[in-house]
Amino acid sequence: MVPSVSPESARLDYASQQLDLSAGLSRSGRSEEAVAAARNAVGALRDLARSNGAYTADLATALNLLAVRLGEAGYQDEGLNTAQEVVSIRRDLVQSNPGAHAGELAASLTNLAGHLAGAGRNEEASSPAQESVTLYRRLIWENPGPYTSGFAQALNNLVIVLTRVERLDEALVAEQEMVELYRSLARHNPAAYSHRLSIELIDLAKRLTNAEQNDEALTVSQEATALLRSLV
């Protein structure tokens, strides 16, 4: 006899399968179908979250993936709205359990900044970009391992956004912080991070030159040159 499955479990399994399908369709370049599968997952999880708040975090995860798929398919406005909903949900989750959801909120803020910048709304993007960096700094201080990659991405987004709105002094400071992060990573894992560190050093040297900090620019440029030679 086949064991009975509750409607709740069946709906959760369906949502999970649709998210996996969406990822596979995206990898195959079938963006419209990937969006449809992600929508199916979100619909199922909305129903679950309405009746049981324990599924709210799962809904936020599905919405986050839907926002990505919408962006891939060119639905920029809907992708932005979805990214904003994710941030709103995760802010509420952080209020009830900061330890479990702060990292997810930081990642969602980075994504929201990216959506806003993609829509040309760079001034608005600077706020979630900065908030994401601030949150990651705290998370890194408490437990660096799980959050280093996200912190690097958040810093990169912040540098881009600040540059676009011509807040160049702030962009320079953020770039310097990113270089220090990659220096630390490269010390612990040179094979994985030395090349990326060289790229950031080159960018920092250019920014220092533009800020007329020529001595500092020369020092950083020489460091980049030495590092690139060691990689050849």
Side-chain angles (χ1 to χ4, degrees):
M1 182 177 179
V2 178
S4 61
V5 178
S6 70
E8 185 176 282
S9 295
R11 189 161 290 173
L12 185 61
D13 289 343
Y14 172 71
S16 178
Q17 184 273 331
Q18 287 294 293
L19 290 175
D20 289 343
L21 176 61
S22 179
L25 289 166
S26 174
R27 287 191 295 269
S28 298
R30 295 160 64 178
S31 57
E32 292 288 345
E33 293 169 87
V35 167
R39 288 190 200 279
N40 291 339
V42 166
L45 286 164
R46 277 197 199 282
D47 289 342
L48 287 169
R50 285 191 194 100
S51 58
N52 186 344
Y55 293 107
T56 303
D58 296 308
L59 172 60
T61 298
L63 283 164
N64 189 63
L65 293 170
L66 175 59
V68 173
R69 301 290 172 254
L70 288 165
E72 292 171 349
Y75 299 112
Q76 302 299 335
D77 289 345
E78 188 179 356
L80 172 57
N81 291 338
T82 304
Q84 289 171 323
E85 183 180 1
V86 175
V87 168
S88 177
I89 291 172
R90 285 181 168 162
R91 284 195 196 282
D92 290 341
L93 289 168
V94 165
Q95 290 297 316
S96 59
N97 191 343
H101 300 291
E104 294 171 345
L105 175 58
S108 299
L109 288 162
T110 297
N111 292 340
L112 176 57
H115 280 281
L116 286 164
R121 295 161 62 177
N122 293 298
E123 194 64 56
E124 291 173 75
S126 66
S127 179
Q130 184 63 71
E131 184 181 357
S132 177
V133 165
T134 300
L135 185 51
Y136 270 122
R137 280 198 196 105
R138 179 171 64 78
L139 292 166
I140 287 283
W141 178 260
E142 295 170 353
N143 185 13
Y147 303 113
T148 301
S149 177
F151 185 37
Q153 183 181 352
L155 280 168
N156 187 62
N157 272 16
L158 181 60
V159 169
I160 291 170
V161 168
L162 291 173
T163 301
R164 287 179 180 175
V165 297
E166 299 185 357
R167 290 161 60 181
L168 302 182
D169 289 345
E170 294 171 76
L172 173 58
V173 171
E175 180 64 42
Q176 288 170 322
E177 185 172 6
M178 187 152 55
V179 164
E180 287 305 313
L181 175 63
Y182 278 107
R183 278 199 183 109
S184 175
L185 291 168
R187 279 194 296 270
H188 291 90
N189 191 343
Y193 293 106
S194 291
H195 183 253
R196 180 57 188 266
L197 172 59
S198 70
I199 292 171
E200 298 305 333
L201 286 166
I202 291 167
D203 190 43
L204 176 57
K206 291 176 181 176
R207 292 179 184 278
L208 288 165
T209 298
N210 291 337
E212 298 183 353
Q213 298 182 39
N214 296 313
D215 290 343
E216 293 89 341
L218 178 59
T219 299
V220 171
S221 182
Q222 288 171 331
E223 182 184 354
T225 298
L227 182 55
L228 286 167
R229 281 177 179 158
S230 73
L231 296 173
V232 174

